[in-house]
Each structure stands twice: as structure tokens, then as C-alpha cells.
């Protein structure tokens, strides 16, 4: 073998080894990492039901019509189990629930299929149906942002909570919506309030701790203490490849559910959302005038009407008095009209001034 041919051999060997090595790595760490600061030009999303991308760039899951269901999933599945261990994952998103109702709520979903098993609307959030709650073949994990109590049917904490759902809509853990300030204050957050709220869901595959944090986007920075920090083993729920996305539903009551931005990542922290670039949320229709406005309008028109009546009465009285006091000549005076009127007397005496009379 000449030195040059052995050199070519070595280069070829290294190239093949590096290819094999890369391929091996890519099959193990097929990390998913994406960020939508707006959905205006979004590709790689599958929408169904009432879900659509609005011209302003918001991903609308439902509008405020009744009995709607909408899903939006990232097209390709994410590998969330590797060698019998759940891969750590992290997501951040901004949502806005504009009430026309109150409505039902929305959920971040990790599911084995983009078509959820037996999903029905209303309190089931288009996630599951009443016949498959708790069925281990569902393979559905969700973090729900729920705005109804469902008449006690699903053991809801209250009509404004965040819950962790494992194959069921009876939440495994649930907390009234809110966040903690760094000095330990517990601030409640109204989910359905037409304000943009950011949520973070982080799962650590090795410690099996799930953290859920929310805060209105008006809050300067991400709260350090999560609203929910709970040990949950997702291994029985997850298959190797799962789809990530959102689900929302309306029922007899309805509100629109919009996602404004979303980032997701496996194997690391989700990219930060640029809050300065959030799409605008469609404005809710102007609310009907409040009771106090109605009361004010009635009061003002009463005052105006009363004033007009008083002025009219005063004017009529004045006309009447003028007619009564008008000097009328008696019949015998007609031939000799020399009577002095009060006005003439008054003028002549300069108002009955003493010096003139003297
Ligand atoms: C709300 O969404 C439904 C389903 O996509 C659609 O049929 C309906 O026209 C929408 N209503 C309004 C007011 O946009
Ligand atoms: C769970 O769901 C599967 C698939 O839909 C079904 O075959 C099974 O009967 C269900 N199990 C129960 C206990 O309902
Ligand atoms: C709700 O909670 C009660 C009491 O803890 C329990 O008996 C009932 O089965 C629960 N309902 C559901 C749908 O899980
Ligand atoms: C939560 O899920 C765990 C299994 O992950 C289960 O043992 C526990 O009973 C569940 N708790 C509730 C309240 O559903
Ligand atoms: C925070 O406040 C809510 C009421 O708004 C209460 O239900 C909840 O238990 C509080 N959480 C903590 C950890 O104090
Ligand atoms: C979850 O929150 C706890 C408490 O703040 C923190 O120690 C832990 O690192 C967090 N885990 C993840 C995956 O964010």
C-alpha cells in the first residue's frame, strides 16, 4: 500500500465512522424544538373542527358560538419516550379567552393520535368523552385551563382552575388559577378575562416532576414558584411518539379561545416567546350598557323633562298674569281716556321718590 492510498483509506474510514456516529445520535436524540411568535405564516400545524388561523396571526380554537370543538396539533410527532424513560419536555404559550358566555376552557394536549378518542364538547373540552374517562388506552395527557365547574360532574376545583389530566378529565392535580410573587403572595388570575396569559409546562423525565406556571403577560417576568409542582409518572400515559397541541370546546355557553404564541422543545427548555410581537386578539363585541349607565340616562332625561315642564308652566303663568294685569279701560272711560296708568305715574314721580312728591 502506498502512503497516498493508505491516506485515502483512512479518510474514507473516518468519513464512514462519522456518518454512522451521526446517524446513531440522530436516531436517539430526535429533539423537537419550535417557536411560533405568531401563527400568521405558520406551517407544520394540523387544524380541525372550528380551529383556524385569523388574519391577525392568532390561532383561534373556537369562536364564541355554541357547541364548537377545535384542535391544533404540531404536524409531526415528538419522541417523548426513549429507552423506557420519559424525555424531558418544556412548552410555553400565550392564550386569551374572550368571554361571550362564559365558555368552557382549553387544554395543552400530548396525545398518541391527532384524533382524540371519543372527544366531545362542553365540559369534556373536546379531549375525551364520558365513556372513556380514565381508560388507560386513551394515552392522553393534558393541562387544562378550565372555566366551568361542570355541575360537580368531573369533580372540578372551581370554575377557574388549572388541572393536570391523565387519560381522564377528572384532574389528577388541580389548583385555582393564579401565581406566586417572589415575596410569596398568592395572586389569583381570572382565565376568562380577555387578558393574555402565558403558561409554562415543564416536565423533568428523570425526577418525574411536572411544573405548571401561569401569569398574565402584563406581569414583568416568569414567576419562580410554579402553581403546580407535582410528581407524576407519565410513562404509563405516553407512547414513544406523541403529538403536541391544543384543544378547546364550547357548549351551551361559549367564549372564544385563542392561542397567540407557542414554543415547545424536548430535551431542554422551550424558547422564550417574544411578548412584544404577540398578535392582536379580536375585540369582543361592545358590552350592553351597564345598569348604572341606564340609570344615568333615565335620570338625565327626567331632569331635562321636568325642567322643560317647569319653564312651560312659568311661561304660561307669566302670560296669564300679564293678561290679568293689563290695564283695561272701563266702559265710562272710553270717551274720556284720561286715566293715568301705573306705569305713567311711576315714571312721572321717578318711582314715587320723596323729593319729587314734596
Ligand atoms: C364560528 O365558528 C364556526 C365554526 O368554525 C363558524 O361556522 C361560524 O360561522 C363562526 N362564527 C362567527 C361569528 O365567526
Ligand atoms: C378502553 O378503550 C378501549 C379502546 O377504545 C376499549 O376497547 C376498552 O373496552 C375500553 N375499556 C373500558 C374499561 O371501557
Ligand atoms: C368525585 O369525587 C367523589 C368523592 O371523592 C367520588 O366518589 C366520585 O367518584 C368522583 N367522581 C368522579 C367522576 O371521579
Ligand atoms: C393521580 O395519578 C396517580 C398515578 O399517576 C394515582 O396513583 C393517583 O391516585 C391519582 N390521583 C388522583 C386524585 O386522581
Ligand atoms: C392561593 O389562593 C387560592 C384562592 O384564590 C387558594 O384556593 C389556594 O389554596 C392558595 N394557594 C396557596 C398555596 O396558598
Ligand atoms: C419545578 O419547580 C421546582 C420548584 O420551583 C424546581 O425546583 C424544579 O427545577 C422545576 N422543574 C422543572 C422541570 O422546571
Amino acid at each position: 500500500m502506498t502512503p497516498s492510498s493508505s491516506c485515502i483509506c483512512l479518510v474514507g474510514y473516518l468519513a464512514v465512522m462519522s456518518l454512522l456516529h451521526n446517524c446513531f445520535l440522530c436516531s436517539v436524540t430526535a429533539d423537537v424544538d419550535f417557536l411560533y411568535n405568531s401563527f400568521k405564516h405558520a406551517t407544520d400545524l394540523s387544524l380541525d373542527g372550528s380551529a383556524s388561523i385569523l388574519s391577525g396571526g392568532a390561532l383561534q380554537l373556537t369562536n364564541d358560538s355554541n357547541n364548537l370543538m377545535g384542535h391544533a396539533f404540531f404536524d409531526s410527532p415528538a419522541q417523548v419516550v426513549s429507552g423506557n424513560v420519559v424525555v424531558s419536555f418544556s412548552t410555553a404559550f400565550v392564550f386569551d379567552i374572550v368571554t361571550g358566555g362564559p365558555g368552557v376552557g382549553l387544554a395543552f394536549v400530548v396525545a398518541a393520535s391527532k384524533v382524540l378518542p371519543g372527544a366531545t364538547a362542553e365540559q369534556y373540552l373536546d379531549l375525551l368523552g364520558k365513556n372513556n374517562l380514565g381508560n388507560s388506552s386513551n394515552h392522553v395527557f393534558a393541562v387544562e385551563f378550565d372555566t366551568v365547574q361542570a355541575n360537580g360532574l368531573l369533580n372540578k376545583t372551581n370554575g377557574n382552575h388549572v388541572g393536570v389530566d391523565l387519560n381522564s378529565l377528572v384532574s389528577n392535580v388541580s389548583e385555582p388559577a393564579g401565581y406566586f410573587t417572589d415575596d410569596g403572595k398568592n395572586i389569583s388570575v381570572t382565565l376568562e378575562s380577555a387578558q393574555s396569559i402565558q403558561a409554562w409546562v415543564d416536565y423533568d423525565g428523570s425526577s418525574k416532576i411536572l411544573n405548571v406556571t401561569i401569569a398574565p403577560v402584563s406581569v414583568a417576568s416568569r414567576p419562580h414558584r410554579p402553581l403546580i409542582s407535582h410528581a407524576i409518572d407519565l410513562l404509563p400515559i405516553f407512547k414513544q411518539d406523541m403529538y403536541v397541541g391544543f384543544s378547546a370546546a364550547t357548549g351551551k355557553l361559549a367564549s372564544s379561545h385563542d392561542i397567540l404564541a407557542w414554543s415547545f422543545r424536548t430535551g431542554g427548555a422551550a424558547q422564550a416567546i417574544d411578548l412584544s410581537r404577540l398578535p392582536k386578539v379580536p375585540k369582543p363585541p361592545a358590552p350592553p350598557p351597564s345598569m348604572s349607565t341606564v340609570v344615568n340616562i333615565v335620570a338625565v332625561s327626567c331632569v331635562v323633562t321636568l325642567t322643560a315642564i317647569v319653564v312651560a308652566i312659568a311661561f304660561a303663568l307669566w302670560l296669564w298674569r300679564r293678561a290679568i294685569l293689563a290695564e283695561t279701560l272701563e266702559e265710562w272711560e272710553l270717551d274720556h281716556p284720561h286715566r293715568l296708568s301705573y306705569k305713567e305715574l311711576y315714571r312721572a314721580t321717578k318711582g314715587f321718590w320723596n323729593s319729587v312728591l314734596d
Side-chain angles (χ1 to χ4, degrees):
M1 222 187 235
T2 62
S4 72
S5 67
S6 67
C7 190
I8 287 166
C9 227
L10 183 65
V11 168
Y13 172 78
L14 286 177
V16 167
M17 280 315 286
S18 114
L19 244 170
L20 280 176
H21 183 69
N22 280 344
C23 227
F24 175 71
L25 271 186
C26 77
S27 73
V28 169
T29 59
D31 281 346
V32 173
D33 182 6
F34 60 80
L35 165 66
Y36 294 102
N37 273 312
S38 150
F39 295 92
K40 200 160 195 163
H41 306 291
T43 51
D44 308 321
L45 289 180
S46 306
L47 309 183
D48 74 19
S50 56
S52 67
I53 289 168
L54 303 180
S55 56
L59 166 57
Q60 182 161 76
L61 297 167
T62 75
N63 61 26
D64 60 4
S65 303
N66 303 111
N67 298 311
L68 296 179
M69 309 197 266
H71 294 128
F73 281 102
F74 190 67
D75 265 338
S76 352
Q79 187 186 339
V80 291
V81 177
S82 172
N84 244 16
V85 174
V86 174
V87 175
S88 297
F89 65 90
S90 161
T91 190
F93 53 93
V94 176
F95 64 90
D96 206 308
I97 305 180
V98 179
T99 184
V104 180
L106 64 85
F108 167 73
V109 186
V110 183
S113 138
K114 286 188 253 188
V115 178
L116 297 176
T120 46
E122 302 221 34
Q123 65 266 33
Y124 300 104
L125 299 174
D126 197 12
L127 266 177
L128 296 165
K130 59 171 163 286
N131 298 323
N132 66 356
L133 292 182
N135 188 326
S136 62
S137 60
N138 288 341
H139 297 286
V140 172
F141 160 78
V143 179
E144 61 171 42
F145 301 83
D146 203 333
T147 55
V148 291
Q149 201 158 4
N151 305 323
L153 188 63
L154 296 167
N155 286 356
K156 306 284 187 179
T157 306
N158 66 8
N160 183 56
H161 65 268
V162 180
V164 176
D165 300 342
L166 310 175
N167 285 333
S168 176
L169 280 173
V170 180
S171 297
N172 196 268
V173 202
S174 145
E175 284 293 334
Y179 66 95
F180 299 99
T181 60
D182 284 349
D183 53 359
K185 286 203 193 73
N186 174 357
I187 315 272
S188 83
V189 173
T190 306
L191 297 174
E192 186 174 87
S193 54
Q195 68 175 329
S196 300
I197 296 168
Q198 185 163 195
W200 297 265
V201 176
D202 295 282
Y203 185 72
D204 184 272
S206 53
S207 67
K208 301 185 170 65
I209 298 285
L210 176 81
N211 287 349
V212 181
T213 310
I214 64 166
V217 297
S218 53
V219 172
S221 61
R222 173 178 178 164
H224 287 104
R225 175 173 164 193
L227 173 65
I228 293 174
S229 185
H230 202 76
I232 288 177
D233 187 3
L234 290 177
L235 194 57
I237 313 291
F238 281 1
K239 289 186 167 178
Q240 178 183 297
D241 295 314
M242 300 281 277
Y243 292 91
V244 292
F246 299 94
S247 175
T250 65
K252 286 183 206 72
L253 302 169
S255 38
S256 64
H257 299 91
D258 290 352
I259 307 291
L260 307 185
W262 179 28
S263 70
F264 176 88
R265 183 168 176 189
T266 52
Q271 296 177 58
I273 288 167
D274 181 354
L275 297 177
S276 68
R277 291 171 54 196
L278 291 180
K280 293 273 174 291
V281 184
K283 284 276 167 289
S290 70
M291 209 47 216
S292 65
T293 315
V294 172
V295 166
N296 281 344
I297 290 171
V298 168
V300 166
S301 27
C302 276
V303 166
V304 167
T305 313
L306 277 178
T307 311
I309 290 172
V310 166
V311 167
I313 289 175
F315 185 65
L317 275 176
W318 177 74
L319 283 179
W320 177 72
R321 209 174 107 93
R322 205 174 71 148
I324 294 286
L325 292 183
E327 307 257 347
T328 44
L329 294 179
E330 284 166 38
E331 210 170 302
W332 60 269
E333 290 176 300
L334 285 175
D335 296 336
H336 318 280
H338 55 252
R339 187 169 79 161
L340 291 175
S341 73
Y342 176 82
K343 214 189 262 172
E344 282 165 322
L345 277 174
Y346 187 90
R347 284 217 191 102
T349 61
K350 297 209 163 70
F352 306 107
W353 209 44
N354 278 344
S355 63
V356 177
L357 287 177
D358 285 346

